Amino acid sequence: MTLSLRVSEDIIEEIRKSIDIVDIISEYVQLKKQGKNFIGLCPFHGEKTPSFSVSPDKQLYHCFGCGAGGNVFSFIMETEGLPFLESVKKIADRMNMAIPELEHVTDEATSKEDSITKIWHNAHALSAKLFHHVLTSTDEGKEARDYLRNRGFTKEVIDTFQIGYAPNSWDFLASFLEKRKFPMDEMVKCGILSVREFDQKPYDRFRDRIIFPIWNNKGDMIAFGGRILSEGNPKYLNSPESSIFNKSETLYYFHKARPSIRKKNEAILFEGYVDVISAWKAGVDNGVASLGTALSTTQAKMLRRLTDHVILCYDSDNAGQNATMKNAAILSEAGLQVRVAILPDGMDPDDYIQKMGVDRFNKDVIGQSLTLMGFKFQYYRRGKNLKDDGERMTYIHQMIEEVSKLSHAVERDHYLRRLSEEFSLSLEALKQQQIQVYKQSKGKNEERKVVHSNFSKQQKRLLLAYENAERILIAHMLKNNSVANQVQRKVGGAFNIDEYQAIAAHLFSYYADGFEPNPSSFIEYLEDDKLKRITSELAMMTITEEMSEQELADYIKQIKNYPKRLEVEKLKVERKKLEEAEEYVEAAKIAMEIIKIEQDIKNG
Ligand SMILES: [Zn+2]
């Protein structure tokens, strides 16, 4: 095993050396030469002016807009949503390089995955195959098959989403996995099986349920969702969270919808996987779902890297509409333009498509989606009797507050007019009230700012100095191993920013392993995606060819002094507090401490 992996690593290095990142990326992005680099529109986020840069010298790319970055393999992994070795193979194929060792690369060959994770992924994939077989080809699956057929799930849909059926048995899957020598305790840990409390015996978690596999961004199967077939509770049962299944980092169908989201520059966000599948039947191939109604900022950012437009299409019940309000705020915060698709009362997307058909779903629901403000006009009306004076005034006030948050005067004017017309109110009065609301909220914000800025200005200036020093040092260390050696001796792991510290530590061991300076190959050496991105960014920085001894010494000093300076700032605040409380003796003690540290900083 180790041997074959080592061979692979050499081959990977060979491939990396023999291709040009510019050739590969040009197939996805229109690149223009600018100085030493090429620039173009970033494929990972929507933009109108190019901030995506590719360096043929360093064989790296980096986007100054969204922070995406890496080498040629990261690029293919990210754009195609492929695991590492499959990306390597894709590139080799494209360059017509015949690499026999790569011929058998499939999902089981991801070299860097640790073996337990691989077992978990494989167990999911194999179980899904079994459930799929039961559903499509056995008598036991007939009832589920009929149920799905009646709901318009064609063979194509069932195959595409690898839908299956878990029979009503306590040990159907458990004994299947045991026979295939999967470790039973791991099967419980990854949530495929449950465990009996009194004798710790594993049994099937999913029984008499239609099974919907759930994938991660790379297309590995990481969990199951199960819908009960007959009566029973809960109606939907998902795998528990585990080290491979983190709900807040997972969007259902994201790995497949990604190219379409990018191409259409729009994602449609649903509440659940059944909605995504129903919409797919209607030709909506850019739909994804969060698992549960709460959306995380991580999920919002995942979408933001592909597009700047999201349509929320949730159930029309109260829970769905409240979730729409909440999630719209999270999406807007992440920089996405949000629209809302409205379904008739009491319907979810699946019901609607069943009853009204795919054309009307596209035309009347998705096609008629409202702007976020348009949605808010409807949302705040819910449950209010607008004929009642009090409730009407509450509504108008809520809308004025929303209008105040808009940054464009034209927009504000538009919506105030709408309110004025609907409720026969004077536009002037509405405008005045809106200005008042705006001033009040601005006042609150400014109070908050003042409290914050007290000592953070000084902190910020320091932060910039040491952050800059750490960035420049790493940029030089990537180019030059003797700089890295000196930094290792003088600074060691004492970088102040965690990510830089991690990159420096990896870089030290990279050189210790005998590798030559080469940012693109170093990125291969890193396992963490975030570190890869940051490394590309630092490697693409414009720096001087050589760094003088004096410069090096200065940067090192800045890094080492930062924690001391921070301490001084803290002590100064403390001293001021003590002085204000007239505790002069204590204040004097602190003043002495400050002097000592400042001396220490000066002496370096
Ligand atoms: Zn970008």
Side-chain angles (χ1 to χ4, degrees):
M1 192 68 184
T2 335
L3 188 70
S4 72
L5 284 186
R6 201 162 287 156
V7 172
S8 297
E9 263 166 35
D10 290 342
I11 291 166
I12 288 158
E13 189 61 15
E14 265 309 305
I15 296 172
R16 207 185 47 72
K17 275 187 192 152
S18 56
I19 51 161
D20 186 354
I21 192 169
V22 178
D23 291 339
I24 298 287
I25 293 185
S26 298
E27 290 185 19
Y28 297 81
V29 181
Q30 206 179 354
L31 293 173
K32 254 191 276 170
K33 187 132 176 56
Q34 191 181 70
K36 277 184 169 180
N37 294 342
F38 288 81
I39 58 158
L41 293 175
C42 176
F44 304 112
H45 83 277
E47 61 173 8
K48 294 202 173 68
T49 47
S51 46
F52 180 80
S53 169
V54 183
S55 158
D57 298 345
K58 290 158 189 156
Q59 291 291 306
L60 293 173
Y61 68 94
H62 171 68
C63 171
F64 294 92
C66 68
N71 64 13
V72 67
F73 299 134
S74 345
F75 183 83
I76 296 295
M77 285 167 77
E78 194 58 39
T79 38
E80 303 275 344
L82 290 175
F84 177 70
L85 276 186
E86 285 183 42
S87 308
V88 175
K89 183 167 184 290
K90 180 147 199 156
I91 290 171
D93 289 348
R94 192 164 296 169
M95 306 313 282
N96 290 322
M97 298 166 80
I99 313 282
E101 287 85 345
L102 280 172
E103 282 314 305
H104 303 291
V105 163
T106 54
D107 47 353
E108 60 183 337
T110 31
S111 72
K112 285 178 180 173
E113 241 169 36
D114 81 58
S115 55
I116 291 294
T117 306
K118 213 148 78 183
I119 290 171
W120 288 19
H121 288 159
N122 286 343
H124 277 92
L126 201 62
S127 307
K129 259 187 200 154
L130 179 68
F131 291 146
H132 186 68
H133 172 76
V134 173
L135 176 71
T136 52
S137 325
T138 69
D139 285 346
E140 271 178 305
K142 186 171 182 312
E143 203 189 330
R145 204 155 61 230
D146 291 345
Y147 170 86
L148 288 171
R149 288 256 163 84
N150 287 335
R151 297 191 67 92
F153 285 70
T154 57
K155 184 177 181 312
E156 192 196 0
V157 174
I158 289 172
D159 288 347
T160 302
F161 291 90
Q162 290 173 259
I163 299 168
Y165 172 67
N168 197 3
S169 153
W170 295 90
D171 63 356
F172 173 74
L173 184 63
S175 61
F176 171 85
L177 291 169
E178 196 163 27
K179 257 183 233 144
R180 273 159 190 76
K181 302 274 184 289
F182 280 96
M184 286 294 107
D185 53 334
E186 293 298 336
M187 297 302 96
V188 172
K189 264 195 234 158
C190 75
I192 290 184
L193 302 178
S194 293
V195 72
R196 268 201 324 223
E197 229 159 72
F198 68 95
D199 63 355
Q200 299 298 302
K201 196 172 150 40
Y203 66 89
D204 290 16
R205 173 187 296 274
F206 297 97
R207 301 177 305 279
D208 188 28
R209 283 177 186 274
I210 293 169
I211 298 293
F212 299 91
I214 296 166
W215 300 264
N216 65 14
N217 300 348
K218 289 178 181 163
D220 301 311
M221 219 179 266
I222 52 171
F224 293 133
R227 188 199 186 284
I228 194 109
L229 187 58
S230 32
E231 292 304 301
N233 274 316
K235 193 168 165 197
Y236 286 96
L237 176 73
N238 286 345
S239 300
E241 292 204 276
S242 69
S243 62
I244 59 168
F245 178 42
N246 183 339
K247 274 192 206 168
S248 65
E249 289 173 4
T250 310
L251 285 170
Y252 179 73
Y253 206 56
F254 184 79
H255 68 300
K256 287 277 188 174
R258 181 165 19 203
S260 164
I261 293 175
R262 196 174 275 140
K263 213 159 77 199
K264 295 181 175 168
N265 192 15
E266 178 180 274
I268 303 180
L269 186 60
F270 293 102
E271 262 187 68
Y273 36 79
V274 175
D275 299 327
V276 173
I277 299 170
S278 297
W280 187 84
K281 290 188 280 182
V284 174
D285 58 359
N286 55 339
V288 295
S290 54
L291 303 147
T293 51
L295 193 74
S296 71
T297 47
T298 311
Q299 288 165 323
K301 280 183 193 154
M302 280 163 67
L303 294 172
R304 182 66 187 86
R305 290 185 67 183
L306 303 181
T307 179
D308 36 25
H309 294 96
V310 172
I311 299 180
L312 279 160
C313 185
Y314 283 8
D315 297 0
S316 58
D317 59 9
N318 276 331
Q321 297 301 291
N322 292 340
T324 301
M325 268 301 267
K326 237 187 234 160
N327 293 345
I330 291 168
L331 293 165
S332 305
E333 186 95 336
L336 287 150
Q337 296 274 350
V338 181
R339 295 184 71 89
V340 180
I342 304 287
L343 289 158
D345 263 351
M347 279 197 177
D348 64 27
D350 183 43
D351 296 331
Y352 188 92
I353 292 165
Q354 296 299 326
K355 290 196 187 98
M356 317 297 252
V358 298
D359 290 344
R360 288 201 54 188
F361 179 72
N362 276 314
K363 214 173 85 209
D364 296 345
V365 178
I366 301 299
Q368 296 294 316
S369 60
L370 302 174
T371 61
L372 188 51
M373 268 310 270
F375 167 71
K376 285 176 179 172
F377 268 89
Q378 288 200 4
Y379 175 79
Y380 284 113
R381 256 167 225 258
R382 290 174 75 89
K384 282 195 187 82
N385 171 10
L386 295 184
K387 293 200 175 105
D388 176 279
D389 284 349
E391 291 189 25
R392 189 169 63 242
M393 286 327 284
T394 310
Y395 173 71
I396 291 167
H397 191 77
Q398 282 171 326
M399 284 321 299
I400 289 177
E401 278 191 347
E402 290 294 341
V403 170
S404 295
K405 293 178 195 160
L406 297 172
S407 49
H408 296 292
V410 181
E411 269 184 293
R412 290 197 297 269
D413 187 70
H414 172 79
Y415 291 113
L416 290 179
R417 264 173 216 279
R418 186 168 156 178
L419 276 178
S420 133
E421 276 161 27
E422 184 172 1
F423 297 102
S424 312
L425 294 163
S426 118
L427 183 61
E428 245 344 275
L430 285 175
K431 272 187 181 161
Q432 270 177 14
Q433 202 182 343
Q434 186 263 310
I435 289 167
Q436 223 176 344
V437 167
Y438 174 74
K439 275 186 185 156
Q440 276 166 5
S441 69
K442 195 175 160 225
K444 268 185 223 155
N445 283 340
E446 256 160 28
E447 262 170 51
R448 250 178 266 145
K449 262 187 220 150
V450 170
V451 175
H452 260 280
S453 69
N454 257 349
F455 95 119
S456 72
K457 244 188 211 154
Q458 173 70 355
Q459 258 189 340
K460 219 175 215 169
R461 203 179 55 76
L462 292 177
L463 182 133
L464 289 178
Y466 82 77
E467 191 180 359
N468 193 38
E470 296 190 354
R471 290 165 66 88
I472 292 176
L473 271 188
I474 291 179
H476 279 282
M477 286 156 63
L478 284 166
K479 261 182 30 179
N480 185 328
N481 47 0
S482 86
V483 173
N485 280 337
Q486 289 187 62
V487 172
Q488 185 172 14
R489 260 185 290 119
K490 289 175 187 153
V491 182
F495 281 78
N496 296 294
I497 293 170
D498 291 346
E499 285 85 2
Y500 297 164
Q501 187 185 327
I503 291 170
H506 285 296
L507 194 56
F508 297 149
S509 62
Y510 173 79
Y511 288 137
D513 285 349
F515 291 102
E516 290 297 309
N518 181 331
S520 176
S521 131
F522 173 59
I523 278 182
E524 232 22 84
Y525 190 86
L526 294 171
E527 307 218 340
D528 182 274
D529 287 343
K530 193 171 173 199
L531 295 186
K532 285 182 193 221
R533 279 201 298 278
I534 297 172
T535 304
S536 325
E537 183 194 346
L538 298 181
M540 302 268 286
M541 272 169 59
T542 315
I543 48 171
T544 50
E545 262 326 294
E546 295 278 331
M547 184 163 49
S548 70
E549 286 298 316
Q550 186 55 47
E551 272 178 289
L552 180 63
D554 284 347
Y555 288 134
I556 288 175
K557 201 167 152 186
Q558 257 163 6
I559 292 173
K560 284 174 123 174
N561 281 341
Y562 172 74
K564 297 178 198 163
R565 287 187 203 274
L566 203 59
E567 183 63 22
V568 168
E569 288 310 310
K570 267 194 214 143
L571 289 173
K572 279 184 181 168
V573 173
E574 217 172 294
R575 183 185 61 189
K576 199 164 168 226
K577 268 193 214 146
L578 287 167
E579 280 169 356
E580 278 164 6
E582 299 186 358
E583 304 207 22
Y584 295 112
V585 179
E586 287 303 309
K589 273 188 200 161
I590 299 223
M592 288 300 291
E593 240 178 283
I594 293 174
I595 292 169
K596 233 166 79 189
I597 301 174
E598 279 178 339
Q599 208 75 49
D600 193 27
I601 292 174
K602 223 181 259 167
N603 299 336

